[in-house]
Short mmCIF file of all heavy atoms in Angstrom, two decimals:
data_model
loop_
_atom_site.label_atom_id
_atom_site.label_comp_id
_atom_site.label_asym_id
_atom_site.label_seq_id
_atom_site.Cartn_x
_atom_site.Cartn_y
_atom_site.Cartn_z
N LYS M 1 -3.95 -6.54 -8.88
CA LYS M 1 -5.31 -6.11 -8.57
C LYS M 1 -5.23 -4.77 -7.84
O LYS M 1 -4.42 -4.61 -6.92
CB LYS M 1 -6.03 -7.14 -7.71
CG LYS M 1 -6.21 -8.49 -8.37
CD LYS M 1 -7.10 -8.40 -9.61
CE LYS M 1 -7.31 -9.79 -10.23
NZ LYS M 1 -8.19 -9.73 -11.41
N PRO M 2 -6.05 -3.79 -8.22
CA PRO M 2 -5.95 -2.45 -7.62
C PRO M 2 -6.29 -2.46 -6.13
O PRO M 2 -7.07 -3.28 -5.66
CB PRO M 2 -6.97 -1.62 -8.42
CG PRO M 2 -7.94 -2.63 -8.95
CD PRO M 2 -7.13 -3.87 -9.21
N VAL M 3 -5.68 -1.53 -5.42
CA VAL M 3 -5.94 -1.38 -3.99
C VAL M 3 -6.24 0.09 -3.70
O VAL M 3 -5.59 0.99 -4.24
CB VAL M 3 -4.76 -1.90 -3.13
CG1 VAL M 3 -3.46 -1.18 -3.50
CG2 VAL M 3 -5.05 -1.72 -1.65
N ILE M 4 -7.24 0.31 -2.85
CA ILE M 4 -7.67 1.65 -2.47
C ILE M 4 -7.47 1.81 -0.97
O ILE M 4 -7.89 0.94 -0.19
CB ILE M 4 -9.16 1.86 -2.83
CG1 ILE M 4 -9.35 1.71 -4.35
CG2 ILE M 4 -9.67 3.21 -2.35
CD1 ILE M 4 -10.78 1.51 -4.75
N ILE M 5 -6.82 2.89 -0.55
CA ILE M 5 -6.58 3.07 0.89
C ILE M 5 -7.10 4.43 1.35
O ILE M 5 -7.14 5.40 0.60
CB ILE M 5 -5.09 2.92 1.25
CG1 ILE M 5 -4.23 4.03 0.62
CG2 ILE M 5 -4.58 1.55 0.83
CD1 ILE M 5 -2.78 4.02 1.12
N GLY M 6 -7.51 4.44 2.61
CA GLY M 6 -8.02 5.66 3.22
C GLY M 6 -6.94 6.44 3.93
O GLY M 6 -5.76 6.36 3.59
N GLN M 7 -7.36 7.19 4.95
CA GLN M 7 -6.42 8.02 5.71
C GLN M 7 -5.68 7.14 6.72
O GLN M 7 -6.10 6.99 7.86
CB GLN M 7 -7.18 9.14 6.42
CG GLN M 7 -7.76 10.17 5.46
CD GLN M 7 -8.58 11.22 6.18
OE1 GLN M 7 -9.45 10.91 6.98
NE2 GLN M 7 -8.31 12.48 5.90
N LEU M 8 -4.56 6.59 6.30
CA LEU M 8 -3.78 5.70 7.14
C LEU M 8 -2.62 6.45 7.79
O LEU M 8 -2.13 7.44 7.23
CB LEU M 8 -3.21 4.53 6.32
CG LEU M 8 -4.18 3.72 5.45
CD1 LEU M 8 -3.43 2.52 4.85
CD2 LEU M 8 -5.38 3.26 6.23
N PRO M 9 -2.15 5.98 8.94
CA PRO M 9 -0.93 6.55 9.52
C PRO M 9 0.24 6.40 8.53
O PRO M 9 0.26 5.46 7.73
CB PRO M 9 -0.70 5.69 10.77
CG PRO M 9 -2.04 5.11 11.10
CD PRO M 9 -2.74 4.93 9.79
N ILE M 10 1.19 7.31 8.61
CA ILE M 10 2.32 7.31 7.67
C ILE M 10 3.04 5.97 7.66
O ILE M 10 3.39 5.45 6.59
CB ILE M 10 3.30 8.45 8.02
CG1 ILE M 10 2.64 9.81 7.78
CG2 ILE M 10 4.57 8.34 7.17
CD1 ILE M 10 3.47 10.99 8.21
N ASP M 11 3.25 5.40 8.84
CA ASP M 11 3.94 4.10 8.91
C ASP M 11 3.17 3.01 8.17
O ASP M 11 3.77 2.13 7.55
CB ASP M 11 4.15 3.69 10.37
CG ASP M 11 5.13 4.60 11.10
OD1 ASP M 11 5.88 5.30 10.40
OD2 ASP M 11 5.13 4.61 12.34
N ALA M 12 1.84 3.08 8.24
CA ALA M 12 1.02 2.09 7.55
C ALA M 12 1.07 2.30 6.04
O ALA M 12 1.13 1.33 5.27
CB ALA M 12 -0.42 2.16 8.05
N VAL M 13 1.03 3.56 5.61
CA VAL M 13 1.08 3.87 4.18
C VAL M 13 2.36 3.30 3.56
O VAL M 13 2.35 2.72 2.47
CB VAL M 13 1.00 5.39 3.93
CG1 VAL M 13 1.25 5.71 2.46
CG2 VAL M 13 -0.37 5.91 4.36
N THR M 14 3.47 3.45 4.27
CA THR M 14 4.75 2.94 3.77
C THR M 14 4.69 1.44 3.53
O THR M 14 5.12 0.94 2.49
CB THR M 14 5.88 3.25 4.78
OG1 THR M 14 5.96 4.67 4.95
CG2 THR M 14 7.22 2.74 4.28
N VAL M 15 4.12 0.70 4.50
CA VAL M 15 4.01 -0.75 4.38
C VAL M 15 3.11 -1.13 3.20
O VAL M 15 3.45 -2.02 2.40
CB VAL M 15 3.46 -1.36 5.69
CG1 VAL M 15 3.14 -2.85 5.51
CG2 VAL M 15 4.44 -1.16 6.83
N VAL M 16 1.97 -0.45 3.08
CA VAL M 16 1.01 -0.77 2.02
C VAL M 16 1.61 -0.46 0.65
O VAL M 16 1.44 -1.23 -0.30
CB VAL M 16 -0.31 0.00 2.24
CG1 VAL M 16 -1.23 -0.17 1.04
CG2 VAL M 16 -1.00 -0.49 3.51
N LYS M 17 2.29 0.67 0.53
CA LYS M 17 2.91 1.03 -0.76
C LYS M 17 3.95 -0.01 -1.18
O LYS M 17 4.04 -0.38 -2.36
CB LYS M 17 3.53 2.42 -0.68
CG LYS M 17 2.51 3.55 -0.72
CD LYS M 17 3.18 4.91 -0.77
CE LYS M 17 2.14 6.02 -0.98
NZ LYS M 17 2.76 7.36 -1.04
N GLU M 18 4.74 -0.48 -0.22
CA GLU M 18 5.74 -1.51 -0.53
C GLU M 18 5.08 -2.78 -1.02
O GLU M 18 5.54 -3.41 -1.98
CB GLU M 18 6.59 -1.79 0.72
CG GLU M 18 7.55 -0.67 1.08
CD GLU M 18 8.28 -0.93 2.38
OE1 GLU M 18 7.95 -1.94 3.07
OE2 GLU M 18 9.18 -0.14 2.73
N LYS M 19 3.97 -3.16 -0.38
CA LYS M 19 3.24 -4.36 -0.79
C LYS M 19 2.62 -4.19 -2.17
O LYS M 19 2.63 -5.11 -3.00
CB LYS M 19 2.15 -4.69 0.24
CG LYS M 19 1.34 -5.94 -0.07
CD LYS M 19 2.17 -7.21 0.02
CE LYS M 19 1.29 -8.44 -0.10
NZ LYS M 19 2.07 -9.70 -0.08
N ALA M 20 2.10 -3.00 -2.45
CA ALA M 20 1.50 -2.73 -3.76
C ALA M 20 2.55 -2.82 -4.87
O ALA M 20 2.28 -3.37 -5.94
CB ALA M 20 0.84 -1.36 -3.75
N VAL M 21 3.74 -2.30 -4.60
CA VAL M 21 4.83 -2.40 -5.58
C VAL M 21 5.21 -3.85 -5.80
O VAL M 21 5.39 -4.32 -6.93
CB VAL M 21 6.06 -1.59 -5.11
CG1 VAL M 21 7.27 -1.88 -5.99
CG2 VAL M 21 5.75 -0.10 -5.13
N GLU M 22 5.30 -4.60 -4.69
CA GLU M 22 5.67 -6.02 -4.76
C GLU M 22 4.66 -6.81 -5.60
O GLU M 22 5.04 -7.70 -6.37
CB GLU M 22 5.74 -6.59 -3.34
CG GLU M 22 6.06 -8.06 -3.25
CD GLU M 22 5.97 -8.57 -1.82
OE1 GLU M 22 6.30 -7.80 -0.88
OE2 GLU M 22 5.57 -9.73 -1.64
N GLU M 23 3.38 -6.48 -5.45
CA GLU M 23 2.33 -7.21 -6.16
C GLU M 23 1.98 -6.57 -7.51
O GLU M 23 1.06 -7.04 -8.19
CB GLU M 23 1.07 -7.27 -5.29
CG GLU M 23 1.23 -8.05 -3.99
CD GLU M 23 1.48 -9.53 -4.21
OE1 GLU M 23 1.15 -10.04 -5.30
OE2 GLU M 23 2.02 -10.17 -3.29
N GLN M 24 2.69 -5.49 -7.87
CA GLN M 24 2.43 -4.77 -9.12
C GLN M 24 0.97 -4.33 -9.20
O GLN M 24 0.30 -4.43 -10.24
CB GLN M 24 2.80 -5.64 -10.33
CG GLN M 24 4.26 -6.04 -10.38
CD GLN M 24 4.60 -6.91 -11.58
OE1 GLN M 24 4.09 -6.68 -12.68
NE2 GLN M 24 5.46 -7.90 -11.38
N SER M 25 0.48 -3.85 -8.07
CA SER M 25 -0.91 -3.43 -7.96
C SER M 25 -1.03 -1.91 -8.04
O SER M 25 -0.26 -1.19 -7.39
CB SER M 25 -1.51 -3.90 -6.62
OG SER M 25 -1.46 -5.31 -6.51
#
């Protein structure tokens, strides 16, 4: 399922990107 993110801190972006890859989102 697609995910949309705003202006997040770099550390947060890293975590979210890893989760998106894991979920194939």
Side-chain angles (χ1 to χ4, degrees):
K1 298 296 183 179
V3 57
I4 299 164
I5 65 172
Q7 292 176 310
L8 308 186
I10 293 175
D11 292 342
V13 172
T14 301
V15 172
V16 172
K17 284 186 174 181
E18 289 175 353
K19 181 66 172 177
V21 170
E22 178 186 326
E23 296 294 340
Q24 300 179 38
S25 300

